[in-house]
Amino acid sequence: MTRLFGSPIPRLEDERLVSGRGRYLDDLGRGALAAAFVRAPHAHARIVDVDVTDALDIDGLVAVYTWEDLPGKLAEPLPLLIPHPALTHPKTGYPLAREEVNHVGEPVVMVVARDRYVAEDACDRIRVTYDPLPPVVTIEDAVRAEHLVHEEVPGNVAAHLVQENGDARAAIAAAPHTLELDLDIQRSASMPMEGRGVYARWDAEDGSLRVYTSTQTSTSVRAAIAAKLDLPLHKVEVVVPDVGGGFGVKIMHPWPEEVLIPWAARLLGREIKWTEDRREHFISSAHERRQLQKVRVGFDDAGRVLGLDVEIWHDNGAYTPYGVIVPIITSTQLLGPYKPGAYRVEFRSLYTNTVMVTPYRGAGRPQGVYAMERTLDAIADYLGKDRAEVREVNFVKPEEMPYDHGLVFQDGRPLVYDSGDFAASLRLLKELVGWDDFESYREQARAQGRRVGIGIACYVEGTGVGPYEGGHVLVEPSGRVMVSTGLTTQGQGHHTVFAQIVADELSVPIEQVHVTTGDTRLFGYAVGTFASRAAVMSGNAIALAAREVRAKALKIAGEALSRDPEDLEIVAGAVRAKDDPDTALDLATVAVLSNPLRYAFDEAAKRATQFAVTDTSKPPVPEGEKPGLEATAYYSPPRSTFANGMHAAIVETDPDTADIKILRYCVVHDCGRMINPRIVAGQIHGGVAQGVAGALYERIVYDENGQLLNASFMDFLMPYATEVPKIEHAHLETSSPLNPLGIKGAGEAGVIPVSALLASAIEDAEGFRITRMPISPSDLWHLRQRFAAGEIEPLHRASRRETA
Amino acid sequence: MKPPPFTYHAPTTVGEALGVLAELGPEGKVLAGGQSLIPLLNMRLAVPPHLVDINRIPELAYVRVDAGGVRVGALARHAELERHAGAYQAVPLLRQALQLVAHPVIRNRGTTVGSIVHADPAAEMPAVLALLGGTVELARKDRRRTVGAADFFLGPLESCLEPGELALAVHFPHLPGRTGTAFVELARRHGDYALAGLAAAVTLDEDLRVAHARAAYVGVAPVPLVVDLTDAVRGVSAAGERSWTLAGRLAQSEVQPEADIHATAEYRRHLVGVLTARALHQAAQRALPEPGPDRTETTP
Amino acid sequence: MTVPELHEITLRVNGVAYRTRVPARRLLSDCLRHDLGLTGTHVGCEHGVCGCCTVLVDGQPARSCLMFAVMAEGCEVTTVEGLAAPDGTLSAVQRAFAECHGLQCGFCTPGFLTVLTAFLTENPKPTEEEVVEAISGNLCRCTGYQNIVAAALRAAEILREERAEEIVAAGDGDGAEPERAREEAAE
C-alpha cells in the first residue's frame, strides 16, 4: 500500500462541504429561541440606568437580562485565562457589563426572543442611560495616561516585561555602527467568514447541558461553563460543529455568550441560540496587531547585529483575559532566523477603550518580524549591502541547532530552535524570485516609466506548543476505524491529515478511517487549535495511539493464529503472517476477538463469545489488558518546534496614483515533514492572503471617541480574488527531532512576514523608508509629498542609484 | 442585523403602484433591486414603515434604444443594460461604467434607475446620467414630469424625488459623432466605490483635435459633478499622449473632495488630476474615426 | 404590540415547491435556512458584501440576504443543495473544488459554487481573468482564492469533457461530431 503520509490527497471533508451538508453553528437548533444583545454605544461610560419597559410588550419576547440578574460566579468577572507574573494589572470583563462599559460593543443587556428579528426589535427599545467618561483610544493616549481605562490601573499599564540575553545596550554602544527606528503597525482582525455562535440545550431530567459553540477549544469552554454554572464537568458536553474559520479569534474563551446562553437555556428550560452578526463581530470579537516599536541596533561592517534593543508598546484593548501572549510572542519571535549578539526587549501592554486584543493568525509574530526585518533592511541600506546578504550573515547555522536564544517563549519554556537550514531556504527563495536579476528588471521598468521594487522577509515560527494533545483510535468490529482528538478544526483539513496518519500506521484504507474533533463526548482532554499546533500535537498523539492499536492487534491476532506477533504484519486492513499471507485475520475480526463477549449480537460477534473461545486456562481479559481494539495516547512535547520561511515579492507602485500592485509573490516554506503538501500549500495561500490584506487593505479604524468607523465589509477592506496575488512556492523539509513524525506546523506561516516584506518592497520602489503599515495609496502619496518636501530622508541605496 | 418590520405592497401595474405611493406619501419607500436599500434596512439605518415592491411590474423592465439614446425602465437590472448590445452601440459609456458598478452578482439584481434614484455621489451611474445630460422620468398619481440630471441630484443620497413619486425610467441621450467616452476610477478594491473617478466625453473636430471635453466626477463632490474641460484641452490632438494634464488641473480646482478612512481630501484631489488626464486620453482615442479595439480597462 | 402580517408564499427551490408563511421582512436567506431547513446557504455579513449567501434566482446569482422571501415568490431558486444530480453525483464545479482544494472551512464555498455554476453555463471556456472577475464579489478568508480560481478553470474543463462525451455517446457514427467535440474539450 502506498504511504499516505506526504501525499497530496484530496480532502475527506470536501464532499460534505461542497454539497451543502456542512453543519455550522447556525445550521443547528432550528426552532431554538434566539438571543441578541444590547451593546455599549460608548467607548467608556458609566451605566446609569437600564429601562426595558418599552420592550416588554413585544410579541415573542421571552426574557431580558442585565448584570443584576446574573447569579453566583456568573456575576463575577470572566476568567483570566493565562496569568503571567508580568501581568501585574489584569482586567477581564463581566458577561454583562456591570456599572461601566469599556469599549463600544461590550454586552450590556441580553434579550431572548422567539427569533432574532424579534430579539433585535426588543434591543432597539431598551433604553440604557450612560454617563460618558473620557475614552483612551490610541496607544499614544494610553501612554499619556491623561485618562485611565480602569481607575485602578495606573498609567494604563497592564503588563511590563523585560527579557535580555547578554548586555544589549553595552553591545550597541560598542558597535561600529548604530541605527534607530520608530515603527508602527496598525490594528486588524481575524474576521472569519462565520462569526461566533453558541447554541445550548438543557436536559432537565438528566441535569445535563449540551453546548455547541463555534470555538477553537471545546474542552476549555466546557470547563469554563461547568465552573461558571456550578455544574459537574461530566454534566456539560461541548460539541464543536463545523467552524467557518477561526484564525485565532475563536481561541479566546469563554466569550460572554458562551456562558450566558447555556445559563439562560437552563434557567428557561428552552433551547437558545445566539448567532453573532457581522456588526457584532466587528465591535465585540477580538482584534490584534497594533504596536509601536522603537528599535536600537548596533552592527559591524558586515551587517552582523551585535546588539539589539527593542521597546514595544502593545495595545491590548479594554481587557486582558488572554494575558500577554501576543507581546510575548512578538518579543521572542522577533529574532527570526537570526542571532543578534545581545538582545534586550521590553514591552508595555496597555489598556485602551477598544475591543480586546487576543491572538490573530500569526499572533504577535507579524509585528516582531516587522521590527526585525525593517531593521535588517535599514542596516543593509546603511552599509550599501544587499538585503539578502545582510540576512545571511546573521543566520543561525544548521550546525548550531538546537539553538538556544536564552529567552523564555510563550509556553514558559526556553526559546530553543530545533532545526532549520536558513541559508538553504534563502538560496531557494533567491532563485525562485530571481533576486540577482532584479536590478536589470528594474532598469527595464524604469525605461518604461514604471516603478518597481523587490523585498524580502524571513521568519521563524514557534509551532506546536504544549502542553499536550491526545488521540483515541478504535477499531470497531465492523472494521471501521474511529479516531478522535479533543482539539477542534476550522478548515485546516485535520480530518484528512489525521486519517492519513492512521491509515498508514494501521495499514488500512483511508476510507475506513473516520475522524472526530472537538467533541468532549468523545475526548475530554485537550487544549485547543492555535499556534500551528494541531498537526504536531494531535497528529503525533494519534500516531502514537495508532501504534498501540497496531501492537495490540498483532498480539491478539498472534494468539488467534498461534503465531508470534513479531512474525505478523498488517497489510490492507488484515493481520497476516509475514511468511504466509494466507494465514490472515482482518482487523474487524481482531476487533471482535479483542472484546470477549457473553452475548452475540451478530455473526461476527459469535467468534468472541465464551463458548467459542477454546483456551480456558487464562482469564478472558488477561491481566494488564483491556477489552477492545483501541488505545488512547498523548503527546506532550518538551518544547515548541520551530518552522520557518522566507518570502520575496516584487511590487509596482504607480508613479501618479501611488496605487500599489504586487507583481510576484514567492514563498519558501519549511514546516518539517509535510503530511499533505496540498493542504500545506492551501495554508500558505490563505496566510499570505491575510498578510497582504493586513499590509495593504485592512485596518480597524477608531475615531477619537472610540467609535469603530469601519464595522462592515464595505469599509473594512477584506481582499477579493481581484486583490490577492498569485503565490509561487517551494518547500524545504527539515524534520523536527522533537516528535515522532518530524513535523512542525504550517497554519500561521503565510501571514507572518507579509507586512515586513511589502514595506521592504515598497520602500525599494520608492526610495524612502516605510515605517508604518498597513499602507494605502493615499498614505503612500502623502509620503511622496513629504519626501519631495525634504521631510523624509531618502534611502541610501536610492541616492547611490541616482549617482551611479 | 435583521430588518425592522414594515408593511409590504407588491403592485403589479404602474397605476397601482402610483396609487399605493400616493396613499402612503412619505411613509412609502420604493423597493426595486434592493442592493442599496436592503443593506440599510438590515443595519436598521433606514426604517420605512411601508415598502412598495415594484419587482412585479413587468412594464418597467425594459431597455429601449431609440433615436435619441437609451431609455432604461425602472426594473431593468444593471446586468441587462450592461449586456444590451444596442445600448452599448448607442451609448458605449453605459457598459464602460457598468463594468465598474460593484460586482457581477450585485449587477444581476441592482437596477440602474434605482442606483440613480439612490443618488450616491460615489456611484457610477448618476455620473453617467449627469455627463450625458440625461433625464429621469418621474410619475405621481396626478402628475408626470421629466427632470434633467442637473436638477435631479440635490446632495449626497438626496434627489428631487418627492413623496409619492416613482421614477419610471431614465433616458441616456447619445452623444454627437466623433465623440469618445471613458470611465476611469480608482477604488481600493475592485468593485468598491471609487476614491475618485470620472466619466469623460471628448468630441473631436474634423482635424481630430479636441472640440469639446466634459467630465462628471464621482466621490469628490456632494453630487455627480459635471465639469466642462474644453478650455483646458481645446485643439489638443487626440493622438497625443501628453497635453491632458491641464484639464486635470482645471478639474482639481472644481472638485470638493472630503477625507474619509480610505483617503485624504488632498489625495482625492490629486487623483482627480491624474485620472482626468487618463480618462480624456482614453476617450479621445475612442473618438478617433477608426478606434482600436474597445478598451475598457478598469484600472487607470 | 401588533403581530406582523404573515404572507403566504410558494417558493420553488431546487425544483421542489415549498409553501410557507413569512413576515414581509423575512430575508430570503433566513427563509431558506430556517423555514425550509436548507442550511447549505450561509450568511456571512447580511449587508451584501461577502457573497456567502449567494443563490441562483431564475438561474442568475443573487444575494439571498438582499432579498425578502416574499420577493422570491414564483421564482426558481437554486441553492448549493440543488447543484448535485438527483442521484447525488456532484456537479463538475463541486468536484473541481474538492479536486483542487478550493475550500478550507467551507463556509464561503456555497456562494462560490452557485456563482460559478451560473458563470460556466454562460461562459464555458473562460480565461483566468474572467474567472477572477466572476468571483470578484465573493469573499473567502481561508484559501487566498488561488485554488478557487484553479477549481473554476478545472470545472470548465470537466464540463467540456463531459459535453464531448455526451456528444460522442449521442453521435450517429460518422465520427465528425465527436472529433470536433473532443478538440473543443482539449482546447
Side-chain angles (χ1 to χ4, degrees), chain A residues 72-83:
Chain A
K73 288 185 192 152
L74 205 57
E76 295 171 9
L78 290 161
L80 171 61
L81 291 171
I82 311 180

Side-chain angles (χ1 to χ4, degrees), chain A residues 469-735:
Chain A
E469 287 297 337
H472 177 247
V473 175
L474 162 72
V475 182
E476 288 189 345
S478 63
R480 210 182 276 127
V481 182
M482 304 303 287
V483 179
S484 74
T485 183
L487 59 63
T488 65
T489 190
Q490 49 271 351
Q492 299 94 330
H494 293 140
H495 293 194
T496 303
V497 295
F498 295 157
Q500 282 178 267
I501 291 170
V502 172
D504 275 352
E505 296 290 345
L506 288 183
S507 307
V508 294
I510 195 164
E511 296 74 30
Q512 278 179 29
V513 184
H514 303 264
V515 179
T516 304
T517 54
D519 186 338
T520 64
R521 293 172 300 180
L522 289 177
F523 208 98
Y525 291 94
V527 183
T529 300
F530 57 94
S532 310
R533 69 192 291 280
V536 183
M537 304 302 299
S538 284
N540 279 294
I542 288 168
L544 294 174
R547 286 172 194 182
E548 280 184 39
V549 168
R550 182 188 184 90
K552 189 167 184 181
L554 294 179
K555 192 168 168 192
I556 293 166
E559 268 172 41
L561 300 170
S562 309
R563 299 289 293 254
D564 185 336
E566 296 278 309
D567 300 335
L568 301 176
E569 60 181 0
I570 306 182
V571 176
V575 184
R576 66 181 195 195
K578 288 176 188 167
D579 56 3
D580 175 15
D582 291 338
T583 306
L585 270 184
D586 60 20
L587 275 180
T589 308
V590 179
V592 169
L593 297 177
S594 73
N595 182 20
L597 294 172
R598 185 172 180 83
Y599 311 112
F601 44 83
D602 63 9
E603 279 304 312
K606 285 181 185 164
R607 299 192 61 166
T609 52
Q610 52 202 347
F611 296 106
V613 177
T614 46
D615 184 356
T616 52
S617 65
K618 288 188 287 192
V621 179
E623 208 171 317
E625 295 285 327
K626 287 177 211 147
L629 186 50
E630 66 177 326
T632 300
Y634 292 87
Y635 171 66
S636 182
R639 53 180 190 272
S640 292
T641 46
F642 287 85
N644 69 85
M646 301 178 186
H647 295 195
I650 297 175
V651 302
E652 176 163 3
T653 58
D654 187 306
D656 299 318
T657 63
D659 201 18
I660 302 160
K661 219 195 222 146
I662 300 171
L663 301 181
R664 287 192 61 206
Y665 200 104
C666 299
V667 174
V668 169
H669 182 248
D670 183 352
C671 60
R673 293 182 60 211
M674 288 187 281
I675 308 169
N676 186 325
R678 183 194 302 244
I679 286 175
V680 172
Q683 289 295 314
I684 293 172
H685 293 168
V688 169
Q690 273 180 321
V692 168
L696 300 181
Y697 297 99
E698 294 168 2
R699 200 184 129 202
I700 293 277
V701 188
Y702 281 101
D703 71 6
E704 67 279 12
N705 298 314
Q707 294 292 336
L708 211 168
L709 294 181
N710 55 345
S712 84
F713 282 157
M714 256 123 65
D715 286 314
F716 181 79
L717 306 176
M718 258 168 73
Y720 291 102
T722 36
E723 281 70 49
V724 177
K726 204 177 239 183
I727 296 147
E728 305 160 56
H729 70 267
H731 294 292
L732 204 73
E733 293 185 74
T734 52
S735 186

Side-chain angles (χ1 to χ4, degrees), chain B residues 49-250:
Chain B
H50 294 266
L51 282 189
V52 181
D53 178 1
I54 60 166
N55 282 282
R56 302 198 181 278
I57 310 180
E59 61 192 288
L60 292 176
Y62 64 85
V63 173
R64 277 180 212 136
V65 181
D66 57 36
V70 179
R71 186 173 306 277
V72 179
L75 254 194
R77 317 283 169 184
H78 288 308
E80 187 189 347
L81 182 57
E82 181 187 353
R83 289 172 198 172
H84 199 285
Y88 176 59
Q89 210 161 18
V91 184
L93 180 60
L94 290 174
R95 189 180 292 171
Q96 291 159 6
L98 281 161
Q99 289 174 339
L100 300 170
V101 175
H103 303 285
V105 176
I106 296 292
R107 302 202 288 272
N108 283 342
R109 291 291 302 172
T111 63
T112 300
V113 172
S115 163
I116 284 166
V117 170
H118 190 57
D120 193 319
E124 288 83 1
M125 297 319 283
V128 169
L129 191 78
L131 179 78
L132 300 175
T135 52
V136 187
E137 291 165 30
L138 301 173
R140 206 165 63 184
K141 199 179 175 192
D142 54 356
R143 180 188 74 186
R144 289 198 178 211
R145 59 179 178 141
T146 300
V147 182
D151 299 318
F152 185 76
F153 301 108
L154 303 181
L157 306 179
E158 197 191 345
S159 74
C160 73
L161 194 85
E162 289 171 7
E165 240 176 353
L166 174 66
L168 296 179
V170 291
H171 185 259
F172 297 100
H174 67 69
L175 292 165
R178 279 199 298 272
T179 298
T181 56
F183 205 112
V184 172
E185 65 177 36
L186 187 77
R188 288 293 276 116
R189 294 175 299 187
H190 177 57
D192 281 350
Y193 281 127
L195 300 175
L198 67 149
V202 173
T203 307
L204 304 180
D205 63 17
E206 285 174 7
D207 300 328
L208 304 183
R209 293 181 177 276
V210 176
H212 195 76
R214 270 190 334 149
Y217 290 86
V218 298
V220 288
V223 292
L225 178 76
V226 180
V227 182
D228 191 322
L229 301 164
T230 311
D231 284 350
V233 288
R234 185 179 284 112
V236 164
S237 160
E241 288 273 337
R242 308 217 168 260
S243 331
W244 306 103
T245 47
L246 216 54
R249 240 169 281 157
L250 174 59

Side-chain angles (χ1 to χ4, degrees), chain A residues 96-137:
Chain A
L96 292 170
R98 175 191 184 180
E99 292 167 5
E100 189 176 315
V101 291
N102 284 303
H103 67 85
V104 170
E106 189 164 357
V108 180
V109 184
M110 175 165 73
V111 169
V112 180
R114 181 179 58 225
D115 65 26
R116 176 76 184 206
Y117 291 75
V118 175
E120 289 190 21
D121 293 348
C123 287
D124 276 356
R125 287 172 173 228
I126 290 169
R127 309 266 162 263
V128 184
T129 313
Y130 297 93
D131 182 8
L133 298 167
V136 176
V137 182

Side-chain angles (χ1 to χ4, degrees), chain A residues 10-11 14-15 17-24 26-28 30 57-59 114-115 117-118 121 125 188-195 242-245 247 273 277-279 282 360-361 490-493 678-683 685-687 689-690 693 698 711-714 716 718-722 724-728, chain C residues 1-4 23 25-31 33-52 63 80-84 88 90 93-95 97-110 112-113 128 131-133 135-147 149:
Chain A
R11 304 198 316 171
D14 291 350
E15 179 167 350
L17 297 179
V18 298
S19 318
R21 286 187 281 116
R23 279 289 168 270
Y24 301 86
D26 190 50
D27 304 343
L28 311 170
R30 202 173 159 192
D57 65 341
I58 289 183
D59 175 62
R114 181 179 58 225
D115 65 26
Y117 291 75
V118 175
D121 293 348
R125 287 172 173 228
S188 192
S190 303
M191 214 51 68
M193 295 314 301
E194 182 206 31
D242 287 317
V243 173
F247 312 111
K273 182 165 71 174
D277 71 27
R278 189 52 59 183
R279 184 172 159 74
F282 271 103
Y360 157 34
R361 195 180 204 169
Q490 49 271 351
Q492 299 94 330
R678 183 194 302 244
I679 286 175
V680 172
Q683 289 295 314
H685 293 168
Q690 273 180 321
E698 294 168 2
S712 84
F713 282 157
M714 256 123 65
F716 181 79
M718 258 168 73
Y720 291 102
T722 36
V724 177
K726 204 177 239 183
I727 296 147
E728 305 160 56
Chain C
M1 195 177 150
T2 52
V3 179
R25 62 167 161 169
R26 192 132 183 102
L27 296 171
L28 177 60
S29 47
D30 284 332
C31 178
R33 292 174 45 72
H34 303 307
D35 300 336
L36 310 186
L38 295 167
T39 54
T41 298
H42 299 151
V43 172
C45 77
E46 289 181 308
H47 52 278
V49 185
C50 77
C52 290
R63 305 274 201 248
V80 66
E81 287 95 340
L83 298 183
L90 297 182
V93 182
Q94 290 171 309
R95 270 178 283 150
F97 264 66
E99 189 182 314
C100 300
H101 191 24
L103 65 151
Q104 289 181 26
C105 81
F107 195 81
C108 70
T109 311
F112 280 93
L113 295 174
E128 190 173 317
V131 166
V132 169
E133 173 69 22
I135 59 169
S136 69
N138 290 63
L139 289 172
C140 169
R141 195 57 160 169
C142 293
T143 64
Y145 304 104
Q146 195 155 323
N147 289 346
V149 174

